[in-house]
Amino acid sequence: MRAADWIVLFGSLFSIIAYGLYRARGSNTVDPYLLAGKTMPWYAMALSIMATQASAVTFISTTGQSYVDGMRFVQAYFGLPIAMIIVSATVVPLFHRAKVYTAYEYLEKRFDTQTRALASVIFLFQRGLSAGVTIYAPAIVLSVILGWPERLTILITGATVVTYTVIGGIKAVTWSDVQQMCIIFLGLVAALVTVILLLPDSVSFGDAVYLAGAANRLNAVTTHFDWRDRFNIWSGLFGSTFLFLSYFGCDQSQVQRYLTGRSIAQSRLSLLFNAVAKIPMQFFILFIGAMVFVFYLFVQPPVLFQKAELGRIRNLAAFQPVETDYQSAFERRRQAALALVETRRTADPAGRERQAEEYRSAQRSLDAARIRASPLVEQSGGENDFSDTNYIFLSFVTRYLPSGLVGLLIAVVFAATMSASSGEINSLATVSVVDLYKRYIVRHGTDHHYLWASRWATLLWGACAVAFAGFGRKLGSLIVAVNIVGSLFYGSLLGCFVVALAFRRVGGTAVFIGMLAGETAVFWAFYFTGMSYLWYNVIGCAVVVATSLFVTAAVSARPARPQPR
């Protein structure tokens, strides 16, 4: 990084944190610290919700996902608008009128304490794991740019996030998110414009889109049905609807955002804004990854984008033939891409198809060489099941973007991390204090006592997230990993709330048993089937509802015991 990059990076981060802490003045009691005193306008909540979703994982991993697998991942968001409408119509007014701090506080009002406790523990477990993945993403950035060990960068990132979250609470988190989203949008536009300008003069924007499409990198919609395929329109419409119903209706990290709203209408507006804006934003990020793919058609990419692991295997005898084949395949693909651009401008459909097939054949050869290189990492003492997907976009940014713009893109990654991580850690602290500590340990403490308990809980969960972040490199594509972690638990939470709202006769014991059965079913599907993770949410919800209804019916059908005379 050059001087201009450091100035842009630190200037951006300082302004974000300072503005968030400035707006958080007065957060010296529990209500302002955890719910901002219910004073947030809809646009602040909307941008905060979007920022929480748009973590560093989104920019680092989603662009890499598009580079290697095309834009199919956008289908994982097709259920979002449906879910937002349902959540806005049902749980938003319910939670506001119940005057709760957490979603799980409502479950005690509807069922009993054991159901509330189980739902809280499930949330704490899954969100605690996800927070670790979120913190790991920018650690990759610093390790790539500065050459620092990932453990050191994880500690630095975690300490930064935890410090301003402990001090400022939800107000600091939300108002920081507003600025962070502005920087994120600016950085995304700058990245796309830059990659297009770096293309050869003979390749227009239309040519670039055509080349990406010919290599199946613009395959945004896949209509075939396959349980094992993670990304198709069916899992996107049905599976992701359940995922986002769970995420926005049952996950405290999101519920807490719209509980800070001034009114039910303001909270609904914040969610409906995301229903409209999220899919285009995700499409835009994936499209950047597709354009990076086109850029590397004409500039040879490394065999592996992870510089440290590439250096590890470069001296192996088995690597030399792989590198030779890779260079040959790249040159063949480059020539085929240029020829396809020329053929595209002629009135020869048959010739275009022949040249497109040659282009795709060369791409398959290049992919085969990369696949042969990956096992060499393990053979040389590196990680098992090596994947460099998370390093693709970073490699492009650090090597080819101009001075100043690198700092802006790195600021985007850190801004996204701070928004997502701070929100997660703050919600973890809220659930820990409100649903467990205040309910079971210190029931009649002062407001000041619970404020400091919330700060200590924030610090504790930040430390846990940092500890789990050390396992991030073993998870492959981070954007997929974070969704898998959530899907292992969200279905059961959603099923619990479905029962609470739709089946008034079901009691706490029945839904408690249903949640345990739902988690059992989901983990069985995870370990023993090749099913896409999006379907876990459907399975978990269905099993909770079915089991709860069965237990209720069985208890009702049991003959009453005769009363002693």
Side-chain angles (χ1 to χ4, degrees):
M1 293 237 296
R2 288 147 286 191
D5 296 315
W6 288 110
I7 292 172
V8 170
L9 172 60
F10 285 113
S12 300
L13 297 182
F14 177 79
S15 65
I16 289 171
I17 295 172
Y19 180 73
L21 292 176
Y22 170 77
R23 295 301 298 260
R25 300 183 326 277
S27 297
N28 50 9
T29 59
V30 171
D31 190 66
Y33 188 79
L34 297 181
L35 291 184
K38 291 186 177 290
T39 59
M40 287 294 156
W42 74 268
Y43 62 87
M45 289 185 289
L47 292 176
S48 181
I49 289 169
M50 183 174 284
T52 305
Q53 289 181 280
S55 67
V57 174
T58 303
F59 305 104
I60 292 174
S61 189
T62 303
T63 44
Q65 185 76 19
S66 178
Y67 181 97
V68 301
D69 190 42
M71 298 177 63
R72 298 189 310 130
F73 182 70
V74 75
Q75 295 170 113
Y77 292 85
F78 282 0
L80 178 63
I82 302 171
M84 289 299 204
I85 293 171
I86 295 173
V87 169
S88 296
T90 56
V91 299
V92 169
L94 183 72
F95 290 155
H96 267 276
R97 289 166 185 157
K99 300 185 183 304
V100 295
Y101 280 91
T102 75
Y104 319 115
E105 199 174 349
Y106 167 76
L107 293 179
E108 181 175 355
K109 296 175 186 258
R110 169 64 180 84
F111 294 118
D112 52 29
T113 56
Q114 66 177 2
T115 304
R116 175 185 180 180
L118 178 59
S120 301
V121 170
I122 289 175
F123 165 76
L124 292 174
F125 193 74
Q126 70 87 10
R127 185 49 61 187
L129 297 178
S130 296
V133 177
T134 305
I135 286 180
Y136 174 69
I140 298 175
V141 178
L142 286 179
S143 65
V144 168
I145 295 174
L146 304 177
W148 294 355
E150 286 183 358
R151 290 182 180 178
L152 176 61
T153 58
I154 287 170
L155 288 173
I156 293 173
T157 305
T160 303
V161 170
V162 170
T163 299
Y164 87 87
T165 307
V166 167
I167 295 171
I170 192 66
K171 268 192 179 181
V173 170
T174 302
W175 285 113
S176 296
D177 289 347
V178 173
Q179 273 203 319
Q180 286 158 0
M181 281 310 302
C182 294
I183 292 177
I184 286 168
F185 284 133
L186 178 63
L188 287 175
V189 172
L192 181 61
V193 171
T194 302
V195 70
I196 292 172
L197 292 176
L198 288 174
L199 294 174
D201 294 337
S202 60
V203 178
S204 67
F205 176 70
D207 294 331
V209 173
Y210 181 77
L211 289 170
N216 294 320
R217 292 310 189 270
L218 299 182
N219 53 340
V221 177
T222 307
T223 57
H224 76 277
F225 180 81
D226 185 348
W227 288 104
R228 294 166 298 181
D229 183 13
R230 286 175 173 172
F231 311 121
N232 59 61
I233 193 170
W234 310 112
S235 63
L237 284 174
F238 296 104
S240 77
T241 296
F242 280 78
L243 171 63
F244 288 117
L245 281 173
S246 307
Y247 186 45
F248 290 99
C250 314
D251 189 311
Q252 180 63 20
S253 67
Q254 295 304 312
V255 172
Q256 192 163 343
R257 290 297 195 278
Y258 55 77
L259 283 180
T260 64
R262 295 171 179 171
S263 65
I264 293 172
Q266 294 274 304
S267 295
R268 282 172 166 166
L269 274 175
S270 70
L271 292 175
L272 294 176
F273 173 83
N274 277 269
V276 174
K278 179 59 179 178
I279 293 177
M281 178 180 174
Q282 200 67 37
F283 186 94
F284 187 72
I285 296 170
L286 287 161
F287 186 73
I288 293 172
M291 290 300 99
V292 170
F293 170 83
V294 175
F295 169 80
Y296 277 125
L297 292 176
F298 307 104
V299 176
Q300 183 172 329
V303 180
L304 298 178
F305 286 92
Q306 224 255 41
K307 187 183 298 184
E309 299 296 355
L310 181 60
R312 181 197 299 272
I313 68 174
R314 191 173 287 281
N315 295 326
L316 296 178
F319 178 72
Q320 303 311 314
V322 171
E323 187 172 38
T324 300
D325 292 345
Y326 183 79
Q327 291 172 348
S328 175
F330 165 77
E331 185 58 33
R332 180 186 163 203
R333 187 185 67 168
R334 187 179 73 85
Q335 295 296 336
L338 290 171
L340 183 57
V341 168
E342 292 299 321
T343 308
R344 174 176 178 258
R345 296 166 183 162
T346 66
D348 181 12
R352 282 200 299 273
E353 185 54 39
R354 286 194 301 272
Q355 193 57 51
E357 182 52 40
E358 167 61 18
Y359 167 60
R360 286 190 284 266
S361 175
Q363 178 63 48
R364 288 192 292 270
S365 298
L366 194 80
D367 291 339
R370 272 176 50 81
I371 291 172
R372 287 164 54 201
S374 295
L376 298 179
V377 173
E378 182 179 350
Q379 294 176 21
S380 63
E383 62 188 89
N384 299 334
D385 300 322
F386 172 79
S387 171
D388 63 349
T389 304
N390 302 318
Y391 295 85
I392 293 172
F393 185 59
L394 289 177
S395 178
F396 166 76
V397 166
T398 55
R399 294 179 66 182
Y400 298 107
L401 263 61
S403 178
L405 199 52
V406 175
L408 177 62
L409 265 295
I410 302 308
V412 166
V413 171
F414 273 94
T417 296
M418 290 191 297
S419 63
S421 300
S422 59
E424 290 173 331
I425 293 169
N426 183 262
S427 65
L428 287 163
T430 302
V431 172
S432 299
V433 172
V434 173
D435 290 303
L436 299 178
Y437 182 78
K438 186 177 181 180
R439 185 68 183 80
Y440 295 103
I441 301 175
V442 179
R443 295 191 175 189
H444 305 292
T446 64
D447 189 272
H448 182 73
H449 175 85
Y450 292 128
L451 173 66
W452 277 100
S454 300
R455 286 181 166 149
W456 279 108
T458 302
L459 183 63
L460 175 64
W461 279 111
C464 291
V466 168
F468 182 70
F471 297 95
R473 64 162 48 225
K474 302 180 184 298
L475 299 177
S477 174
L478 294 178
I479 191 65
V480 174
V482 76
N483 280 300
I484 290 175
V485 170
S487 295
L488 290 174
F489 302 95
Y490 279 147
S492 296
L493 287 176
L494 178 61
C496 179
F497 279 90
V498 168
V499 172
L501 296 174
F503 301 98
R504 305 301 300 181
R505 292 177 58 248
V506 177
T509 301
V511 79
F512 184 88
I513 295 171
M515 291 175 72
L516 295 177
E519 280 303 310
T520 302
V522 168
F523 275 92
W524 177 86
F526 174 71
Y527 282 110
F528 299 108
T529 74
M531 189 177 297
S532 167
Y533 68 84
L534 286 174
W535 294 109
Y536 299 164
N537 304 283
V538 182
I539 292 171
C541 180
V543 171
V544 171
V545 173
T547 304
S548 300
L549 293 175
F550 175 79
V551 171
T552 301
V555 171
S556 300
R558 185 182 303 168
R561 292 181 180 178
Q563 296 296 322
R565 293 182 181 179

